[in-house]
Amino acid sequence: TEGLQRCVSLLGSEETFEKAQEILQEVGGIDLSAKSLELVTMEIGEEVAEQVAEEQAALFDLPSEREASNALGVQEGGESRLYVAMDAFKVPTRQGWRDMKIAAIYTTEVLPQLKTGGKLEAVADRVSYVTGIEECEYFGKRVYAEAVRRGMTEATEVKCLGDGASWIWNQA
């Protein structure tokens, strides 16, 4: 069923396929091989990736950021300040070591912190992530699309955080 496929793909994306297989068996009494679980997860993942790519392509075909924001369903009155932090790290792949890029898009909330005796500190709030092993330009477009979705066009201030890597600053 469609619900079972969603459950399988969610487990397959959060756990190893072997661990997801154990969870399905233990919780739902569903006997599915790790390979079948992988195939379902990959199929659904490809569908989601296609949908995201279509949304992002539509975003870059639009003539203005305001229209892009509207196309992605951003509500009026976005955040006053939005943060975009980017970095990369090496991961082993079948093609050798590659850069895994990651971006966190978030707002902040000021809260009292127990570790500092109740002193108010700004903490990350409502964090969303973009990650991938891909070319910098494509990754930057996906980060931009997520920032627009999160209300960048309505924000009074956008802060970009990153180390000295040139690929990050070329995106900012």
Side-chain angles (χ1 to χ4, degrees), residues 78-125:
E79 304 297 337
S80 60
R81 181 179 294 155
L82 190 68
Y83 294 87
V84 179
M86 291 189 281
D87 205 352
F89 52 95
K90 297 284 187 189
V91 294
T93 69
R94 291 182 176 137
Q95 294 81 33
W97 288 87
R98 303 206 32 217
D99 279 343
M100 169 69 77
K101 296 166 188 68
I102 185 166
I105 296 93
Y106 60 95
T107 58
T108 56
E109 183 177 10
V110 178
L111 298 172
Q113 299 297 305
L114 293 176
K115 65 183 176 188
T116 59
K119 180 180 172 186
L120 294 177
E121 289 186 22
V123 295
D125 185 43

Side-chain angles (χ1 to χ4, degrees), residues 137-154:
E137 182 179 316
Y138 182 71
F139 181 74
K141 287 181 178 182
R142 292 194 317 113
V143 171
Y144 175 80
E146 178 63 10
V148 168
R149 188 190 71 77
R150 290 290 308 276
M152 181 180 77
T153 59
E154 303 296 320

Side-chain angles (χ1 to χ4, degrees), residues 36-82:
S36 294
L37 202 142
E38 178 182 0
L39 292 172
V40 170
T41 301
M42 297 301 286
E43 181 180 326
I44 301 257
E46 287 173 7
E47 290 172 9
V48 170
E50 285 176 19
Q51 180 182 354
V52 168
E54 288 172 8
E55 290 173 0
Q56 291 170 351
L59 171 71
F60 289 100
D61 288 340
L62 295 171
S64 73
E65 286 188 355
R66 168 95 44 207
E67 288 173 318
S69 182
N70 292 340
L72 291 173
V74 176
Q75 297 176 351
E76 290 295 321
E79 304 297 337
S80 60
R81 181 179 294 155
L82 190 68

